[in-house]
Amino acid sequence: QVKLVESGGGLVQAGGSLRLACAASGSIFRINVMEWYRQAPGEQRDLVASITSGGSTTYADSVKGRFTISRDNAKNTVYLQMNSLKPEDTAIYYCNLRQGTMNSWGQGTQVTVSS
């Protein structure tokens, strides 16, 4: 069983920055992918960024150049540094740990960007 705990959300003005963290515990495989998704009210949950255990990253076009995903494998923790935040970044941000065909989700953390 895997548990994911997110932290770091909050309210920030447009142009500001936030750093999210997600700590995983439990049965963690050496090879995995850690991902950040977000879901705005009335919208579907979309992939924001992902990082493999080897450090390869992918980003949604909407956040490229503004967000940076990183991870600390020793701590089983993934981070999302969010800069130049926009009101349209407002959403609940979820962490996902993908191991083979298994997905483990965190409870989500609210990010609100005011204009």
Side-chain angles (χ1 to χ4, degrees):
Q1 191 170 354
V2 175
K3 181 179 180 182
L4 299 174
V5 179
E6 296 119 332
S7 60
L11 173 65
V12 64
Q13 288 188 332
S17 298
L18 283 174
R19 189 190 194 210
L20 306 183
C22 172
S25 60
S27 181
I28 310 296
F29 300 164
R30 188 174 60 86
I31 306 298
N32 59 60
V33 181
M34 299 191 83
E35 302 170 321
W36 286 100
Y37 282 74
R38 67 186 181 187
Q39 187 169 21
E43 302 290 332
Q44 65 181 18
R45 189 174 296 188
D46 292 324
L47 179 65
V48 175
S50 68
I51 185 167
T52 69
S53 46
S56 297
T57 60
T58 60
Y59 295 93
D61 287 343
S62 59
V63 306
K64 281 180 181 176
R66 300 188 298 122
F67 291 10
T68 302
I69 190 170
S70 61
R71 63 187 290 166
D72 183 336
N73 288 334
K75 296 181 179 180
N76 290 319
T77 299
V78 63
Y79 305 95
L80 187 68
Q81 178 66 44
M82 304 185 294
N83 298 328
S84 302
L85 282 161
K86 304 174 181 180
E88 51 263 45
D89 294 317
T90 295
I92 299 175
Y93 284 69
Y94 296 92
C95 174
N96 178 51
L97 173 64
R98 182 156 51 88
Q99 304 187 110
T101 60
M102 297 185 297
N103 288 284
S104 301
W105 293 92
Q107 80 286 353
T109 186
Q110 177 70 48
V111 171
T112 303
V113 185
S114 63
S115 56

